[in-house]
Amino acid sequence: MYTAELIKGKTYSVMGHVFLLNQEKEIEKKVFQYLNGNEFFDCKQLDVPADDPKTDDQPKEKPSEEKEEPKEEEEPSLEAKIYTETELKDMKKDGQEAVIVDLGGDPSEFKNESERIAFILENQQQQEKAGE
């Protein structure tokens, strides 16, 4: 299991996850690999015993506390975030690249901010049309 906590900035959106300042979230391995080393995040890999792969399915203590966390319910509405050109211009390069990855692009393909923003705006419109 992996977790990440935003330690700088107010919000950060990456790969379908929206991070709020000082809120730790459980993340997938690919998100961990992308964010690990980013100065804006505190990323952790939590060890799960290899001999008990079903630990997540069978809570051992305090099951009522574990069920109270509505992490999964928040995700779908957060994934549909549509950024304006102004919001994108206000973002730092890392934030723009995170949105590009969310949209299925490769940040290394873009030379500058203008190209990143153009890609994001175009792909958001395409996804909006596909979703209707």
Side-chain angles (χ1 to χ4, degrees):
M1 177 171 57
Y2 304 90
T3 62
E5 179 180 354
L6 181 65
I7 56 174
K8 292 183 182 179
K10 292 182 182 179
T11 62
Y12 196 94
S13 175
V14 61
M15 297 182 187
H17 295 277
V18 175
F19 294 90
L20 303 175
L21 183 62
N22 297 323
Q23 289 187 351
E24 191 173 61
K25 283 188 78 166
E26 192 173 316
I27 56 174
E28 302 85 13
K29 183 177 182 177
K30 68 177 184 175
V31 181
F32 172 83
Q33 290 172 334
Y34 182 80
L35 294 176
N36 196 23
N38 183 321
E39 68 183 76
F40 288 87
F41 285 89
D42 179 20
C43 298
K44 297 176 188 169
Q45 179 177 358
L46 306 176
D47 294 332
V48 176
D51 59 337
D52 190 7
K54 296 185 179 181
T55 342
D56 294 336
D57 297 331
Q58 301 170 355
K60 295 177 182 177
E61 294 181 41
K62 302 180 185 178
S64 61
E65 287 182 21
E66 290 182 26
K67 292 179 183 175
E68 290 177 16
E69 296 180 28
K71 290 180 184 177
E72 305 261 349
E73 295 172 12
E74 294 175 14
E75 291 296 323
S77 62
L78 298 175
E79 288 182 24
K81 170 74 173 140
I82 302 297
Y83 296 94
T84 64
E85 187 171 354
T86 305
E87 288 175 314
L88 293 168
K89 285 182 179 178
D90 289 344
M91 278 186 191
K92 295 187 182 234
K93 181 180 178 181
D94 286 349
Q96 293 170 349
E97 289 178 343
V99 175
I100 289 170
V101 170
D102 287 346
L103 294 170
D106 179 4
S108 65
E109 293 179 3
F110 305 100
K111 298 175 188 169
N112 57 40
E113 180 181 54
S114 298
E115 288 183 8
R116 290 190 300 270
I117 291 172
F119 174 85
I120 293 168
L121 293 173
E122 182 179 321
N123 281 273
Q124 284 182 153
Q125 288 176 346
Q126 289 175 358
Q127 285 189 356
E128 243 180 38
K129 290 177 184 175
E132 291 177 357

